[in-house]
């Protein structure tokens, strides 16, 4: 297996850091920390370059918040300059690992994504009778730092790059506690090992793909599963034999033990594809595809709130339209014509003239 060296000078070049800053600012141009960085961008990038080259770079403190999508999930936002470093690293390191990834891994990869994954999954449903659907229990909090770094070392031998990667990994903020035991563990083993990488980092998404890449190859090449899809830790395997899928389930769970991971006990199921499958925000059937109900309800609540703010003159259509178009772009990949017609016929965007006059008198319009 080829290992790559002499990467650090590419990562820390001014051209790569500048490209990384362009990627990091996408969708965040008007945030204060981005504006402050952009105001003195050359100085900031030269400072960052000096810290990296002199080995004095230390990641900053994460800003943590919780989102509620079906379940609470802690998101960790790194300081903007750290996000620039993450992009700079991934610009150089991702192409190296991309060559090793299987075709049917779809998360956070160029030219892949949720819609391609769902299209591929739908095609698989039309060719098979049964599905094994599983995901990994507390995946990001469970990622073992030692195992992750060993996997990265298989492809990278550049010492300075490995030092930077280790710095990013060990400065992960404290994640949800996971205290699972595995074969050979003594009483204290789960507490001695460093685990967990933050949801929200570009590098975390990249590391998550690396961590399960061996599983992908095991399923495809050893278990000979032709109809296999993975999106982060969301895994689907299809076959005409339910008995074979039960055997595959056991083999995967045994393999995950070596990676110090466990499948989610309540989300590992084998059932007929005709029942419909929850997949990346959709309910997928062989002949058609629906939007998952919680997705539509969440958007309806958001749209009602935006309608109220529009009516009061607080938001303009230019503030609302990007969110609407983004949701429409997602739902058009399912059979949702009736749903869209129903929602937009009931939730209207009309100005409240009295509110506009009041705001105008206050100098706000």
């Amino acid at each position: 297996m080829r290992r790559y060296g002499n990467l650090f000078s590419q990562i820390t070049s001014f051209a790569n850091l500048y490209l990384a800053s362009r990627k990091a600012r996408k969708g965040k141009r008007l945030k204060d920390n981005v504006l402050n960085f952009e105001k003195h961008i050359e100085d900031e990038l030269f400072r960052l370059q000096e810290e990296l080259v002199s080995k004095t770079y230390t990641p900053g403190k994460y800003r943590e918040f919780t989102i509620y999508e079906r379940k609470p999930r802690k998101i960790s936002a790194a300081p903007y300059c750290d996000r620039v470093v993450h992009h700079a690293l991934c610009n150089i390191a991702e192409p190296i690992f991309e060559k090793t990834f299987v075709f049917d891994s779809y998360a956070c990869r160029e030219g892949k994504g949720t819609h391609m994954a769902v299209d591929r999954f739908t095609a698989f449903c039309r060719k098979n009778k049964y599905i094994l659907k599983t995901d990994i229990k507390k995946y990001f909090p469970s990622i073992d730092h030692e195992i992750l770094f060993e996997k990265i070392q298989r492809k990278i031998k550049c010492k300075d790059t490995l030092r930077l990667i280790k710095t990013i990994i060990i400065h992960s903020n404290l994640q949800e506690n996971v205290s699972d035991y595995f074969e050979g563990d003594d009483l204290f083993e789960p507490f001695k090992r460093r685990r967990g990488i933050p949801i929200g980092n570009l590098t975390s998404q990249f590391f998550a793909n690396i961590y399960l890449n061996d599983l992908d190859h095991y399923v495809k090449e050893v278990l000979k599963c032709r109809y296999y899809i993975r999106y982060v830790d969301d895994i689907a395997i299809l076959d005409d034999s339910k008995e074979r899928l039960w055997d595959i389930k056991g083999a995967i769970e045994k393999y995950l033990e070596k990676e110090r991971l466990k499948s989610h006990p309540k989300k590992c199921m084998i059932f007929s594809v005709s029942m419909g499958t929850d997949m990346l925000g959709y309910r997928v059937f062989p002949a058609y595809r629906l939007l998952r109900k919680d997705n539509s309800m969440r958007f309806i609540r958001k749209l009602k709130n935006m309608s109220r703010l529009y009516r009061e003159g607080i938001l303009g259509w230019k503030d609302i339209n990007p969110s609407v178009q983004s949701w429409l772009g997602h739902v058009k990949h399912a059979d949702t014509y009736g749903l869209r017609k129903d929602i937009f016929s009931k939730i209207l965007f009309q100005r409240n003239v009295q509110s506009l006059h009041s705001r105008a008198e206050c100098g706000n319009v």
Side-chain angles (χ1 to χ4, degrees):
M1 180 184 291
R2 181 183 174 186
R3 298 177 71 220
Y4 291 78
N6 301 317
L7 302 175
F8 196 64
S9 60
Q10 300 176 53
I11 293 168
T12 58
S13 71
F14 187 86
N16 186 51
L17 289 172
Y18 181 76
L19 175 61
S21 72
R22 301 306 86 190
K23 291 182 176 181
R25 75 172 184 172
K26 284 184 179 178
K28 302 178 177 67
R29 291 186 182 211
L30 300 180
K31 293 186 178 292
D32 289 342
N33 57 348
V34 179
L35 289 171
N36 291 334
F37 191 95
E38 290 289 313
K39 193 183 298 182
H40 307 287
I41 186 166
E42 286 194 10
D43 292 340
E44 292 287 355
L45 291 178
F46 278 125
R47 177 190 59 78
L48 203 51
Q49 184 184 49
E50 172 59 27
E51 289 181 4
L52 289 166
V53 172
S54 64
K55 317 295 189 299
T56 58
Y57 167 73
T58 302
K61 186 177 180 180
Y62 286 92
R63 178 175 61 87
E64 300 175 352
F65 56 95
T66 302
I67 61 171
Y68 298 88
E69 293 184 359
R70 306 189 86 184
K71 63 179 181 179
R73 192 186 301 270
K74 184 171 85 169
I75 303 297
S76 306
Y80 182 66
C81 62
D82 291 340
R83 296 205 297 271
V84 173
V85 173
H86 298 166
H87 277 278
L89 171 64
C90 289
N91 285 347
I92 305 304
E94 269 188 341
I96 293 171
F97 287 90
E98 177 65 28
K99 300 172 186 176
T100 72
F101 294 156
V102 300
F103 180 85
D104 284 312
S105 166
Y106 287 89
C108 310
R109 293 176 63 192
E110 191 74 30
K112 300 286 186 175
T114 56
H115 297 137
M116 181 179 282
V118 173
D119 287 344
R120 180 80 159 165
F121 177 74
T122 303
F124 286 176
C125 284
R126 292 168 180 167
K127 297 178 180 179
N128 296 276
K129 295 179 181 178
Y130 302 103
I131 176 173
L132 164 61
K133 185 76 162 51
T134 187
D135 68 13
I136 293 168
K137 175 186 172 187
K138 298 180 181 178
Y139 179 47
F140 280 85
S142 298
I143 289 177
D144 186 281
H145 290 190
E146 184 180 330
I147 294 174
L148 171 61
F149 194 68
E150 185 275 327
K151 291 175 183 291
I152 292 169
Q153 281 183 300
R154 292 184 207 161
K155 294 298 294 179
I156 294 178
K157 63 181 180 181
C158 174
K159 291 182 179 179
D160 289 335
T161 300
L162 289 172
R163 182 186 294 109
L164 174 60
I165 291 171
K166 181 171 279 190
T167 296
I168 292 170
I169 293 172
I170 65 175
H171 279 86
S172 298
N173 57 333
L174 190 65
Q175 300 297 304
E176 184 180 357
N177 181 51
V178 180
S179 54
D180 290 326
Y181 285 86
F182 298 89
E183 186 177 349
D185 284 356
D186 59 32
L187 182 63
F188 302 103
E189 185 67 18
F191 307 98
K192 291 188 291 186
R193 302 184 75 95
R194 283 291 306 271
R195 284 165 306 188
I197 58 176
I199 299 174
N201 270 9
L202 176 69
T203 48
S204 295
Q205 297 166 355
F206 175 44
F207 295 155
N209 273 340
I210 293 172
Y211 203 90
L212 286 181
N213 188 38
D214 289 340
L215 173 67
D216 294 341
H217 285 278
Y218 173 73
V219 172
K220 295 288 288 182
E221 296 160 16
V222 178
L223 299 182
K224 305 293 184 184
C225 296
R226 182 178 178 185
Y227 301 104
Y228 168 82
I229 283 178
R230 178 174 67 82
Y231 192 95
V232 192
D233 65 320
D234 199 353
I235 296 168
I237 303 172
L238 297 94
D239 200 275
D240 280 334
S241 168
K242 188 181 287 188
E243 290 74 21
R244 173 163 156 74
L245 288 177
W246 279 110
D247 291 340
I248 290 168
K249 174 182 177 291
I252 288 175
E253 289 176 346
K254 188 174 181 180
Y255 188 90
L256 287 174
E257 290 271 330
K258 297 190 299 182
E259 308 285 13
R260 300 191 67 83
L261 298 172
K262 291 184 181 293
S263 59
H264 199 296
K266 295 181 179 179
K267 296 182 180 179
C268 187
M269 300 172 286
I270 296 173
F271 53 91
S272 170
V273 296
S274 63
M275 294 173 62
T277 308
D278 277 348
M279 188 73 175
L280 303 175
Y282 301 97
R283 185 79 177 167
V284 181
F285 296 83
Y288 60 97
R289 188 186 304 166
L290 302 176
L291 190 68
R292 207 167 60 195
K293 187 174 181 180
D294 63 322
N295 184 300
S296 58
M297 295 304 295
R298 189 164 56 246
F299 179 71
I300 289 170
R301 288 194 298 269
K302 182 177 181 179
L303 196 65
K304 285 181 177 178
N305 185 53
M306 289 191 295
S307 174
R308 178 183 60 82
L309 295 173
Y310 181 83
R311 186 168 59 251
E312 295 171 0
I314 296 171
L315 289 182
W317 183 245
K318 64 177 174 51
D319 304 308
I320 297 166
N321 191 46
S323 293
V324 173
Q325 294 303 323
S326 175
W327 186 77
L328 287 174
H330 178 67
V331 302
K332 284 180 179 177
H333 287 266
D335 300 285
T336 58
Y337 175 76
L339 173 67
R340 285 178 275 143
K341 186 177 179 181
D342 184 58
I343 289 174
F344 289 104
S345 66
K346 292 178 178 177
I347 302 176
L348 305 178
F349 287 82
Q350 294 177 331
R351 291 292 197 190
N352 185 323
V353 177
Q354 187 176 355
S355 295
L356 286 174
H357 285 322
S358 299
R359 289 176 61 80
E361 289 171 6
C362 296
N364 294 325
V365 175

